[in-house]
Protein backbone atom coordinates (compact mmCIF):
# COMPACT_ATOMS: atom_id res chain seq x y z
CA UNK A 1 0.00 0.00 0.00
CA UNK A 2 1.18 3.53 -0.75
CA UNK A 3 1.13 5.87 2.24
CA UNK A 4 -1.68 8.44 2.35
CA UNK A 5 -0.59 11.73 0.80
CA UNK A 6 1.84 10.01 -1.60
CA UNK A 7 0.71 9.45 -5.19
CA UNK A 8 3.06 6.53 -5.70
CA UNK A 9 5.55 4.80 -3.47
CA UNK A 10 7.34 1.62 -2.44
CA UNK A 11 5.30 -0.72 -0.30
CA UNK A 12 8.15 -1.52 2.07
CA UNK A 13 11.59 -0.37 3.09
CA UNK A 14 13.10 -3.58 1.67
CA UNK A 15 11.50 -2.80 -1.70
CA UNK A 16 13.01 0.67 -1.61
CA UNK A 17 16.50 -0.62 -0.74
CA UNK A 18 16.30 -3.36 -3.42
CA UNK A 19 15.37 -0.77 -6.06
CA UNK A 20 18.14 1.63 -5.03
CA UNK A 21 20.71 -1.19 -4.91
CA UNK A 22 19.41 -2.21 -8.33
CA UNK A 23 20.13 1.28 -9.60
CA UNK A 24 23.59 1.37 -8.05
CA UNK A 25 24.71 -2.06 -9.23
CA UNK A 26 25.02 -1.80 -12.97
CA UNK A 27 27.41 -1.73 -15.88
CA UNK A 28 29.55 0.50 -13.68
CA UNK A 29 30.28 -2.42 -11.35
CA UNK A 30 30.77 -5.22 -13.84
CA UNK A 31 32.09 -3.38 -16.85
CA UNK A 32 33.90 -0.29 -15.57
CA UNK A 33 35.13 -1.06 -12.05
CA UNK A 34 37.22 -4.14 -12.98
CA UNK A 35 39.03 -2.38 -15.81
CA UNK A 36 39.66 0.75 -13.73
CA UNK A 37 41.15 -1.51 -11.03
CA UNK A 38 43.25 -3.14 -13.75
CA UNK A 39 44.47 0.17 -15.14
CA UNK A 40 45.15 1.84 -11.79
CA UNK A 41 47.24 -0.71 -9.97
CA UNK A 42 44.79 -3.08 -8.28
CA UNK A 43 44.38 -3.03 -4.49
CA UNK A 44 45.69 0.51 -3.97
CA UNK A 45 42.89 1.81 -6.20
CA UNK A 46 40.31 -0.29 -4.32
CA UNK A 47 41.43 1.21 -1.00
CA UNK A 48 41.14 4.78 -2.30
CA UNK A 49 37.75 3.90 -3.78
CA UNK A 50 36.53 2.51 -0.45
CA UNK A 51 37.63 5.62 1.48
CA UNK A 52 35.98 7.99 -1.01
CA UNK A 53 32.78 5.96 -1.01
CA UNK A 54 32.60 5.91 2.78
CA UNK A 55 33.58 9.51 3.47
CA UNK A 56 32.14 11.42 0.52
CA UNK A 57 29.67 9.41 -1.54
CA UNK A 58 27.55 7.82 1.18
CA UNK A 59 26.73 11.18 2.84
CA UNK A 60 25.77 12.57 -0.61
CA UNK A 61 23.50 9.57 -1.13
CA UNK A 62 21.86 10.41 2.19
CA UNK A 63 21.53 14.08 1.22
CA UNK A 64 19.73 13.10 -1.99
CA UNK A 65 17.28 10.87 -0.17
CA UNK A 66 16.54 13.64 2.34
CA UNK A 67 15.66 16.02 -0.51
CA UNK A 68 13.49 13.34 -2.14
CA UNK A 69 11.52 12.27 0.89
CA UNK A 70 11.16 15.73 2.44
CA UNK A 71 10.36 17.42 -0.87
CA UNK A 72 8.25 14.69 -2.45
CA UNK A 73 7.44 14.48 -6.15
CA UNK A 74 9.74 14.55 -9.16
CA UNK A 75 13.27 16.00 -8.62
CA UNK A 76 12.46 19.57 -9.71
CA UNK A 77 9.43 19.68 -7.41
CA UNK A 78 11.41 18.13 -4.55
CA UNK A 79 14.17 20.74 -4.86
CA UNK A 80 11.60 23.56 -4.98
CA UNK A 81 9.68 22.21 -2.01
CA UNK A 82 12.65 21.71 0.31
CA UNK A 83 14.19 25.09 -0.42
CA UNK A 84 11.03 27.11 -0.94
CA UNK A 85 12.75 28.69 -3.97
CA UNK A 86 11.61 28.24 -7.56
CA UNK A 87 15.09 28.56 -9.07
CA UNK A 88 16.18 25.32 -7.41
CA UNK A 89 13.85 23.49 -9.80
CA UNK A 90 16.62 23.86 -12.38
CA UNK A 91 18.74 21.39 -10.39
CA UNK A 92 16.02 18.77 -10.88
CA UNK A 93 15.79 19.49 -14.59
CA UNK A 94 19.55 19.10 -14.82
CA UNK A 95 19.21 15.68 -13.16
CA UNK A 96 16.68 14.68 -15.80
CA UNK A 97 19.07 15.75 -18.59
CA UNK A 98 21.93 13.87 -16.92
CA UNK A 99 19.87 10.68 -16.81
CA UNK A 100 18.97 11.18 -20.44
CA UNK A 101 22.60 11.42 -21.49
CA UNK A 102 23.62 8.39 -19.44
CA UNK A 103 20.65 6.41 -20.71
CA UNK A 104 21.53 7.20 -24.35
CA UNK A 105 24.77 5.20 -24.19
CA UNK A 106 23.55 2.83 -21.48
CA UNK A 107 20.88 1.36 -23.78
CA UNK A 108 23.54 0.66 -26.40
CA UNK A 109 25.68 -1.33 -23.96
CA UNK A 110 22.45 -2.89 -22.62
CA UNK A 111 21.75 -4.07 -26.17
CA UNK A 112 25.25 -5.56 -26.40
CA UNK A 113 24.61 -7.53 -23.20
CA UNK A 114 21.45 -9.05 -24.73
CA UNK A 115 23.39 -10.04 -27.85
CA UNK A 116 26.18 -11.62 -25.76
CA UNK A 117 23.68 -13.36 -23.50
CA UNK A 118 22.06 -14.93 -26.57
CA UNK A 119 25.47 -15.90 -28.00
CA UNK A 120 26.31 -17.54 -24.67
CA UNK A 121 23.02 -19.42 -24.62
CA UNK A 122 23.80 -20.95 -28.01
CA UNK A 123 27.17 -21.98 -26.58
CA UNK A 124 29.30 -19.66 -28.71
CA UNK A 125 31.82 -19.29 -25.88
CA UNK A 126 32.05 -22.89 -24.69
CA UNK A 127 35.42 -24.47 -24.00
CA UNK A 128 37.32 -25.15 -27.20
CA UNK A 129 35.19 -22.85 -29.39
CA UNK A 130 37.24 -21.18 -32.10
CA UNK A 131 36.33 -17.50 -32.05
CA UNK A 132 38.18 -14.29 -32.64
CA UNK A 133 36.41 -12.31 -29.91
CA UNK A 134 37.99 -9.01 -30.96
CA UNK A 135 36.73 -9.30 -34.54
CA UNK A 136 33.34 -10.55 -33.32
CA UNK A 137 32.84 -7.56 -31.03
CA UNK A 138 34.14 -4.94 -33.45
CA UNK A 139 32.08 -6.40 -36.28
CA UNK A 140 28.94 -6.31 -34.16
CA UNK A 141 29.21 -2.92 -32.51
CA UNK A 142 30.19 -1.09 -35.69
CA UNK A 143 27.24 -2.53 -37.62
CA UNK A 144 24.51 -0.05 -38.55
CA UNK A 145 21.42 -2.13 -37.73
CA UNK A 146 21.93 -5.07 -35.35
CA UNK A 147 23.12 -3.12 -32.26
CA UNK A 148 20.28 -0.62 -32.74
CA UNK A 149 17.74 -3.46 -32.87
CA UNK A 150 19.18 -4.88 -29.62
CA UNK A 151 19.12 -1.52 -27.90
CA UNK A 152 15.46 -1.06 -28.90
CA UNK A 153 14.75 -4.48 -27.38
CA UNK A 154 16.51 -3.32 -24.22
CA UNK A 155 14.40 -0.12 -24.15
CA UNK A 156 11.21 -2.18 -24.60
CA UNK A 157 12.04 -4.43 -21.64
CA UNK A 158 12.75 -1.38 -19.49
CA UNK A 159 9.61 0.48 -20.48
CA UNK A 160 7.41 -2.50 -19.54
CA UNK A 161 8.74 -2.31 -15.97
CA UNK A 162 8.24 1.48 -15.88
CA UNK A 163 4.65 1.31 -17.18
CA UNK A 164 3.80 -1.33 -14.56
CA UNK A 165 4.54 1.38 -11.99
CA UNK A 166 6.57 1.85 -8.83
CA UNK A 167 5.26 -1.09 -6.81
CA UNK A 168 4.25 -3.60 -9.46
CA UNK A 169 7.12 -2.80 -11.81
CA UNK A 170 10.22 -1.34 -10.18
CA UNK A 171 9.81 -2.78 -6.67
CA UNK A 172 8.69 -6.26 -7.67
CA UNK A 173 11.38 -6.79 -10.31
CA UNK A 174 14.12 -5.37 -8.07
CA UNK A 175 13.18 -7.74 -5.24
CA UNK A 176 13.52 -10.61 -7.69
CA UNK A 177 16.58 -9.49 -9.63
CA UNK A 178 18.85 -8.32 -6.80
CA UNK A 179 19.13 -11.63 -4.88
CA UNK A 180 19.65 -13.39 -8.24
CA UNK A 181 22.48 -11.03 -9.09
CA UNK A 182 24.29 -11.62 -5.82
CA UNK A 183 24.00 -15.41 -6.20
CA UNK A 184 25.29 -15.22 -9.80
CA UNK A 185 28.32 -13.08 -8.98
CA UNK A 186 29.25 -15.34 -6.05
CA UNK A 187 29.01 -18.45 -8.28
CA UNK A 188 31.17 -16.89 -10.99
CA UNK A 189 33.62 -15.65 -8.34
CA UNK A 190 34.00 -19.19 -6.95
CA UNK A 191 34.73 -20.57 -10.43
CA UNK A 192 37.25 -17.84 -11.10
CA UNK A 193 39.24 -18.04 -7.85
CA UNK A 194 39.47 -21.85 -8.09
CA UNK A 195 41.17 -21.75 -11.51
CA UNK A 196 44.81 -22.87 -11.53
CA UNK A 197 46.97 -19.72 -11.51
CA UNK A 198 44.20 -17.53 -10.05
CA UNK A 199 46.37 -16.64 -7.02
CA UNK A 200 48.26 -13.92 -8.87
CA UNK A 201 44.96 -12.19 -9.67
CA UNK A 202 43.83 -12.41 -6.07
CA UNK A 203 47.15 -10.95 -4.90
CA UNK A 204 46.73 -8.15 -7.45
CA UNK A 205 43.32 -7.34 -5.98
CA UNK A 206 44.32 -7.50 -2.34
CA UNK A 207 48.02 -6.53 -2.05
CA UNK A 208 48.22 -2.76 -2.39
CA UNK A 209 51.03 -1.22 -4.41
CA UNK A 210 50.74 2.48 -3.66
CA UNK A 211 53.58 3.37 -6.03
CA UNK A 212 51.27 2.72 -8.98
CA UNK A 213 48.69 5.16 -7.65
CA UNK A 214 48.63 8.52 -9.41
CA UNK A 215 46.61 11.66 -8.80
CA UNK A 216 44.60 10.72 -11.87
CA UNK A 217 43.71 7.40 -10.22
CA UNK A 218 42.22 9.30 -7.28
CA UNK A 219 40.08 11.37 -9.64
CA UNK A 220 39.02 8.21 -11.43
CA UNK A 221 38.06 6.64 -8.10
CA UNK A 222 35.88 9.63 -7.24
CA UNK A 223 34.19 9.64 -10.65
CA UNK A 224 33.62 5.90 -10.47
CA UNK A 225 32.20 6.13 -6.95
CA UNK A 226 29.71 8.77 -8.14
CA UNK A 227 28.74 6.75 -11.21
CA UNK A 228 28.44 3.50 -9.31
CA UNK A 229 26.22 4.93 -6.57
CA UNK A 230 24.13 6.76 -9.19
CA UNK A 231 24.91 10.10 -7.50
CA UNK A 232 24.23 13.52 -8.94
CA UNK A 233 21.56 12.28 -11.33
CA UNK A 234 18.60 12.69 -8.95
CA UNK A 235 18.09 8.92 -8.68
CA UNK A 236 17.89 8.95 -4.88
CA UNK A 237 15.73 12.09 -4.99
CA UNK A 238 13.23 10.27 -7.19
CA UNK A 239 13.32 7.05 -5.14
CA UNK A 240 13.47 9.10 -1.92
CA UNK A 241 10.06 10.53 -2.78
CA UNK A 242 8.72 6.94 -2.88
CA UNK A 243 10.31 6.00 0.45
CA UNK A 244 8.06 5.22 3.43
CA UNK A 245 8.06 7.90 6.15
CA UNK A 246 9.10 5.30 8.70
CA UNK A 247 12.31 4.32 6.87
CA UNK A 248 15.67 5.03 8.43
CA UNK A 249 17.39 7.00 5.67
CA UNK A 250 20.86 6.87 7.26
CA UNK A 251 20.78 3.09 7.56
CA UNK A 252 19.44 2.78 4.03
CA UNK A 253 22.27 4.92 2.62
CA UNK A 254 24.80 2.71 4.41
CA UNK A 255 23.17 -0.54 3.20
CA UNK A 256 23.00 0.71 -0.40
CA UNK A 257 26.61 1.81 -0.55
CA UNK A 258 27.95 -1.29 1.24
CA UNK A 259 25.96 -3.58 -1.13
CA UNK A 260 27.16 -1.71 -4.21
CA UNK A 261 30.79 -1.74 -3.05
CA UNK A 262 30.66 -5.40 -2.03
CA UNK A 263 29.29 -6.23 -5.47
CA UNK A 264 32.00 -4.22 -7.23
CA UNK A 265 34.73 -6.01 -5.27
CA UNK A 266 33.04 -9.36 -6.00
CA UNK A 267 33.00 -8.45 -9.69
CA UNK A 268 36.73 -7.78 -9.43
CA UNK A 269 37.14 -11.20 -7.77
CA UNK A 270 35.11 -12.81 -10.54
CA UNK A 271 37.11 -11.22 -13.33
CA UNK A 272 40.72 -10.55 -12.26
CA UNK A 273 41.74 -14.07 -11.14
CA UNK A 274 40.49 -15.44 -14.48
CA UNK A 275 42.32 -12.70 -16.39
CA UNK A 276 45.59 -13.55 -14.60
CA UNK A 277 45.04 -17.31 -14.78
CA UNK A 278 45.02 -17.04 -18.57
CA UNK A 279 47.88 -14.56 -18.71
CA UNK A 280 45.84 -11.72 -20.23
CA UNK A 281 46.81 -8.09 -19.72
CA UNK A 282 44.61 -6.63 -16.90
CA UNK A 283 44.92 -3.07 -18.16
CA UNK A 284 42.74 -3.76 -21.21
CA UNK A 285 40.05 -1.04 -21.11
CA UNK A 286 36.35 -1.11 -21.92
CA UNK A 287 36.82 -4.21 -24.10
CA UNK A 288 37.61 -6.33 -21.02
CA UNK A 289 34.08 -7.67 -20.69
CA UNK A 290 33.17 -8.11 -24.36
CA UNK A 291 36.53 -9.12 -25.83
CA UNK A 292 38.85 -10.51 -23.15
CA UNK A 293 36.29 -12.46 -21.13
CA UNK A 294 34.70 -14.34 -24.08
CA UNK A 295 38.22 -15.41 -25.11
CA UNK A 296 38.87 -16.63 -21.57
CA UNK A 297 35.55 -18.52 -21.42
CA UNK A 298 36.53 -20.54 -24.49
CA UNK A 299 39.66 -21.78 -22.69
CA UNK A 300 38.12 -22.42 -19.28
CA UNK A 301 36.53 -25.58 -17.87
CA UNK A 302 32.76 -24.85 -17.57
CA UNK A 303 33.38 -21.80 -19.77
CA UNK A 304 30.06 -22.12 -21.64
CA UNK A 305 27.99 -22.14 -18.44
CA UNK A 306 30.08 -19.37 -16.90
CA UNK A 307 29.63 -17.14 -19.94
CA UNK A 308 25.84 -17.58 -19.81
CA UNK A 309 25.78 -16.83 -16.06
CA UNK A 310 28.08 -13.84 -16.50
CA UNK A 311 26.15 -12.21 -19.33
CA UNK A 312 22.86 -12.90 -17.55
CA UNK A 313 24.26 -11.08 -14.50
CA UNK A 314 25.44 -8.22 -16.71
CA UNK A 315 21.99 -8.03 -18.29
CA UNK A 316 20.14 -7.97 -14.92
CA UNK A 317 22.51 -5.31 -13.61
CA UNK A 318 22.02 -3.19 -16.74
CA UNK A 319 18.20 -3.47 -16.69
CA UNK A 320 17.77 -2.56 -13.03
CA UNK A 321 19.97 0.52 -13.43
CA UNK A 322 18.31 1.54 -16.67
CA UNK A 323 14.95 1.33 -14.90
CA UNK A 324 16.05 3.96 -12.39
CA UNK A 325 17.39 6.25 -15.11
CA UNK A 326 14.15 5.83 -17.02
CA UNK A 327 12.10 6.52 -13.89
CA UNK A 328 13.88 9.81 -13.15
CA UNK A 329 13.11 11.01 -16.68
CA UNK A 330 9.55 9.65 -16.75
CA UNK A 331 8.54 11.04 -13.35
CA UNK A 332 9.99 14.42 -14.32
CA UNK A 333 8.07 14.42 -17.57
CA UNK A 334 4.85 13.39 -15.79
CA UNK A 335 5.25 16.27 -13.40
CA UNK A 336 6.13 18.84 -16.08
CA UNK A 337 3.45 17.89 -18.63
CA UNK A 338 0.77 16.38 -16.40
CA UNK A 339 0.58 13.40 -18.76
CA UNK A 340 0.04 9.84 -17.57
CA UNK A 341 2.87 7.44 -16.68
CA UNK A 342 2.23 5.39 -19.82
CA UNK A 343 2.24 8.35 -22.23
CA UNK A 344 5.30 9.91 -20.59
CA UNK A 345 7.18 6.60 -20.69
CA UNK A 346 6.37 6.11 -24.37
CA UNK A 347 7.59 9.62 -25.22
CA UNK A 348 10.83 8.97 -23.30
CA UNK A 349 11.30 5.63 -25.08
CA UNK A 350 10.84 7.20 -28.51
CA UNK A 351 13.33 9.98 -27.90
CA UNK A 352 15.77 7.49 -26.37
CA UNK A 353 15.49 5.27 -29.41
CA UNK A 354 16.68 8.21 -31.49
CA UNK A 355 19.54 9.30 -29.19
CA UNK A 356 20.55 5.68 -28.47
CA UNK A 357 20.72 4.99 -32.21
CA UNK A 358 22.99 7.98 -32.74
CA UNK A 359 25.27 6.72 -29.93
CA UNK A 360 25.30 3.26 -31.47
CA UNK A 361 26.07 4.56 -34.96
CA UNK A 362 28.87 6.68 -33.53
CA UNK A 363 30.79 3.41 -33.04
CA UNK A 364 30.45 2.71 -36.77
CA UNK A 365 29.37 4.91 -39.67
CA UNK A 366 29.28 8.08 -37.55
CA UNK A 367 32.71 7.47 -36.03
CA UNK A 368 34.07 10.46 -37.93
CA UNK A 369 31.61 12.81 -36.19
CA UNK A 370 33.51 13.98 -33.13
CA UNK A 371 33.00 16.61 -30.48
CA UNK A 372 36.23 17.81 -28.86
CA UNK A 373 38.05 14.80 -30.27
CA UNK A 374 35.61 12.15 -28.98
CA UNK A 375 32.85 10.28 -30.77
CA UNK A 376 29.29 10.94 -29.59
CA UNK A 377 29.07 7.78 -27.45
CA UNK A 378 32.29 8.59 -25.57
CA UNK A 379 31.37 12.26 -25.29
CA UNK A 380 28.01 11.41 -23.64
CA UNK A 381 29.79 9.11 -21.20
CA UNK A 382 32.52 11.67 -20.50
CA UNK A 383 30.18 14.66 -20.09
CA UNK A 384 27.70 12.90 -17.85
CA UNK A 385 30.24 11.19 -15.56
CA UNK A 386 32.80 13.97 -15.30
CA UNK A 387 30.71 17.07 -15.53
CA UNK A 388 26.94 16.62 -15.05
CA UNK A 389 27.00 14.08 -12.21
CA UNK A 390 29.60 15.99 -10.22
CA UNK A 391 27.71 19.27 -10.71
CA UNK A 392 24.50 17.47 -9.66
CA UNK A 393 26.26 16.16 -6.55
CA UNK A 394 27.51 19.64 -5.75
CA UNK A 395 24.01 21.11 -6.05
CA UNK A 396 22.67 18.40 -3.72
CA UNK A 397 25.18 19.09 -0.95
CA UNK A 398 24.87 22.87 -1.30
CA UNK A 399 21.09 22.53 -1.13
CA UNK A 400 21.16 20.49 2.09
CA UNK A 401 24.20 22.11 3.71
CA UNK A 402 23.50 25.74 2.93
CA UNK A 403 19.78 26.08 2.13
CA UNK A 404 17.85 23.36 3.96
CA UNK A 405 20.07 23.50 7.03
CA UNK A 406 20.97 21.20 9.89
CA UNK A 407 17.70 21.34 11.79
CA UNK A 408 15.56 20.18 8.87
CA UNK A 409 18.22 17.60 7.93
CA UNK A 410 18.12 16.13 11.45
CA UNK A 411 14.35 16.26 11.48
CA UNK A 412 14.18 14.23 8.25
CA UNK A 413 16.78 11.59 9.10
CA UNK A 414 15.10 11.01 12.47
CA UNK A 415 11.65 11.07 10.80
CA UNK A 416 10.50 13.89 13.09
CA UNK A 417 12.25 12.44 16.14
CA UNK A 418 10.73 8.97 15.85
CA UNK A 419 13.95 7.23 14.70
CA UNK A 420 17.08 7.23 16.83
CA UNK A 421 20.21 8.34 15.02
CA UNK A 422 23.48 8.85 16.90
CA UNK A 423 23.87 12.65 17.29
CA UNK A 424 27.62 12.69 16.77
CA UNK A 425 27.28 10.63 13.61
CA UNK A 426 24.52 12.93 12.35
CA UNK A 427 26.70 15.99 13.01
CA UNK A 428 29.67 14.44 11.21
CA UNK A 429 27.45 13.59 8.24
CA UNK A 430 26.11 17.13 8.09
CA UNK A 431 29.63 18.56 8.36
CA UNK A 432 30.75 16.40 5.43
CA UNK A 433 27.73 17.46 3.38
CA UNK A 434 28.16 21.15 4.16
CA UNK A 435 31.94 21.58 3.97
CA UNK A 436 33.95 18.52 2.94
CA UNK A 437 31.96 17.31 -0.08
CA UNK A 438 31.71 20.74 -1.80
CA UNK A 439 35.46 21.34 -1.36
CA UNK A 440 36.34 17.89 -2.72
CA UNK A 441 33.98 18.21 -5.70
CA UNK A 442 35.14 21.72 -6.64
CA UNK A 443 38.79 20.72 -6.11
CA UNK A 444 38.31 17.73 -8.40
CA UNK A 445 36.61 19.80 -11.06
CA UNK A 446 39.44 22.34 -11.01
CA UNK A 447 42.08 19.64 -11.35
CA UNK A 448 40.22 18.02 -14.25
CA UNK A 449 40.01 21.35 -16.09
CA UNK A 450 43.69 22.29 -15.55
N1 LIG B 1 25.00 3.14 -11.06
C1 LIG B 1 24.86 2.68 -12.41
C2 LIG B 1 26.03 1.77 -12.74
O1 LIG B 1 26.92 1.57 -11.91
O2 LIG B 1 26.06 1.25 -13.85
C3 LIG B 1 24.76 3.81 -13.41
C4 LIG B 1 23.73 4.84 -13.07
C5 LIG B 1 22.39 4.46 -12.86
C6 LIG B 1 24.08 6.17 -12.94
C7 LIG B 1 21.44 5.42 -12.50
C8 LIG B 1 23.14 7.13 -12.60
C9 LIG B 1 21.82 6.74 -12.38
F1 LIG B 1 20.92 7.64 -12.06
Amino acid sequence: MTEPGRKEGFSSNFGMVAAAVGSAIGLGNLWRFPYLVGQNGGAAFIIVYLIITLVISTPILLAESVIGRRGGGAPAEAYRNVTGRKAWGAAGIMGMITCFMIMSFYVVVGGWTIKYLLLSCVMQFHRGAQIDSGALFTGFMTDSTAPIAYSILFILLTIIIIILGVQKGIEKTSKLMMPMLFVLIILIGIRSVTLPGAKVGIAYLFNPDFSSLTFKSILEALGQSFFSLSLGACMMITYGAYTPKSSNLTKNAAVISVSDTFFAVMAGCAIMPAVFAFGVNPTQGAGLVFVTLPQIFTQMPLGGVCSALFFFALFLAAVSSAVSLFEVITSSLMSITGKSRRTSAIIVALVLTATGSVCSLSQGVLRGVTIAGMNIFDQFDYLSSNFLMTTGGLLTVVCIGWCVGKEAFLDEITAGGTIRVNRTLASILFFIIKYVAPVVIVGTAISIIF
Side-chain angles (χ1 to χ4, degrees):
M1 276 272 293
T2 309
E3 288 174 352
R6 248 164 237 274
K7 278 181 250 152
E8 290 185 288
F10 295 116
S11 69
S12 65
N13 190 54
F14 175 65
M16 142 71 204
V17 172
V21 170
S23 169
I25 295 176
L27 297 169
N29 302 60
L30 280 163
W31 176 54
R32 250 182 174 199
F33 185 78
Y35 81 72
L36 284 178
V37 172
Q39 287 175 338
N40 292 287
F45 179 82
I46 298 184
I47 293 173
V48 173
Y49 179 85
L50 291 179
I51 296 172
I52 289 175
T53 302
L54 177 75
V55 179
I56 307 289
S57 306
T58 309
I60 301 180
L61 192 77
L62 175 63
E64 276 202 23
S65 51
V66 166
I67 295 176
R69 192 172 70 179
R70 200 167 182 81
E77 260 176 281
Y79 265 115
R80 276 197 302 267
N81 293 345
V82 287
T83 56
R85 298 203 195 118
K86 260 188 149 177
W88 270 102
I93 302 294
M94 202 185 93
M96 172 178 145
I97 295 168
T98 306
C99 286
F100 208 89
M101 285 192 98
I102 301 174
M103 192 68 175
S104 299
F105 67 84
Y106 217 86
V107 295
V108 177
V109 187
W112 298 347
T113 68
I114 299 183
K115 165 80 177 174
Y116 272 67
L117 175 59
L118 295 179
L119 286 177
S120 303
C121 290
V122 294
M123 285 292 162
Q124 280 282 320
F125 307 128
H126 69 92
R127 192 180 191 188
Q130 296 297 321
I131 52 153
D132 175 348
S133 60
L136 176 75
F137 183 55
T138 312
F140 169 65
M141 76 164 185
T142 54
D143 188 77
S144 296
T145 48
I148 295 181
Y150 281 104
S151 66
I152 292 175
L153 183 60
F154 185 81
I155 294 173
L156 282 175
L157 291 170
T158 315
I159 195 182
I160 293 172
I161 299 175
I162 295 296
I163 289 178
L164 283 170
V166 178
Q167 280 183 19
K168 292 203 187 103
I170 304 174
E171 183 171 353
K172 231 181 183 165
T173 49
S174 304
K175 280 180 177 167
L176 188 76
M177 292 196 288
M178 283 310 106
M180 273 162 78
L181 251 181
F182 276 91
V183 172
L184 284 172
I185 200 70
I186 289 170
L187 285 179
I188 303 164
I190 292 173
R191 169 64 289 201
S192 181
V193 298
T194 51
L195 285 167
K199 275 204 192 90
V200 192
I202 299 170
Y204 186 73
L205 281 172
F206 294 108
N207 291 343
D209 167 18
F210 285 100
S211 65
S212 54
L213 205 66
T214 59
F215 186 62
K216 189 171 159 269
S217 324
I218 300 173
L219 298 184
E220 297 238 48
L222 185 82
Q224 171 61 14
S225 182
F226 261 63
F227 188 80
S228 194
L229 283 174
S230 311
L231 296 181
C234 295
M235 182 283 285
M236 270 312 268
I237 299 185
T238 308
Y239 282 5
Y242 303 148
T243 303
K245 264 287 171 211
S246 56
S247 294
N248 184 336
L249 298 183
T250 317
K251 210 162 144 191
N252 282 359
V255 172
I256 295 161
S257 74
V258 167
S259 309
D260 181 60
T261 309
F262 171 77
F263 194 93
V265 174
M266 280 307 295
C269 290
I271 293 172
M272 280 305 155
V275 166
F276 277 89
F278 289 96
V280 185
N281 181 1
T283 59
Q284 153 89 281
L288 185 66
V289 160
F290 293 102
V291 178
T292 312
L293 286 188
Q295 204 67 57
I296 289 175
F297 289 134
T298 62
Q299 298 166 43
M300 178 166 122
L302 288 180
V305 178
C306 278
S307 72
L309 294 181
F310 180 81
F311 285 110
F312 186 48
L314 193 64
F315 168 71
L316 290 182
V319 171
S320 56
S321 295
V323 161
S324 70
L325 289 159
F326 212 121
E327 179 62 21
V328 174
I329 313 170
T330 308
S331 74
S332 299
L333 201 65
M334 282 160 68
S335 133
I336 294 167
T337 62
K339 297 225 182 302
S340 70
R341 169 170 283 276
R342 175 189 284 256
T343 311
S344 306
I346 292 173
I347 296 171
V348 176
L350 289 175
V351 184
L352 265 178
T353 302
T355 53
S357 300
V358 173
C359 278
S360 180
L361 292 173
S362 77
Q363 303 283 0
V365 286
L366 296 183
R367 196 175 318 128
V369 182
T370 56
I371 310 165
M374 270 184 237
N375 72 27
I376 300 167
F377 181 110
D378 292 341
Q379 191 58 255
F380 272 36
D381 183 4
Y382 178 80
L383 272 183
S384 49
S385 319
N386 292 315
F387 181 68
L388 291 173
M389 292 179 91
T390 35
T391 310
L394 181 64
L395 290 172
T396 299
V397 289
V398 169
C399 174
I400 289 290
W402 298 87
C403 293
V404 172
K406 191 168 179 181
E407 212 173 298
F409 172 76
L410 291 179
D411 180 61
E412 194 57 39
I413 63 171
T414 58
T418 57
I419 293 173
R420 279 177 58 133
V421 177
N422 181 299
R423 268 205 91 82
T424 316
L425 174 69
S427 296
I428 293 173
L429 288 169
F430 189 76
F431 181 81
I432 292 175
I433 292 170
K434 184 163 181 177
Y435 300 105
V436 183
V439 170
V440 171
I441 296 173
V442 172
T444 310
I446 291 173
S447 47
I448 288 177
I449 296 167
F450 298 104

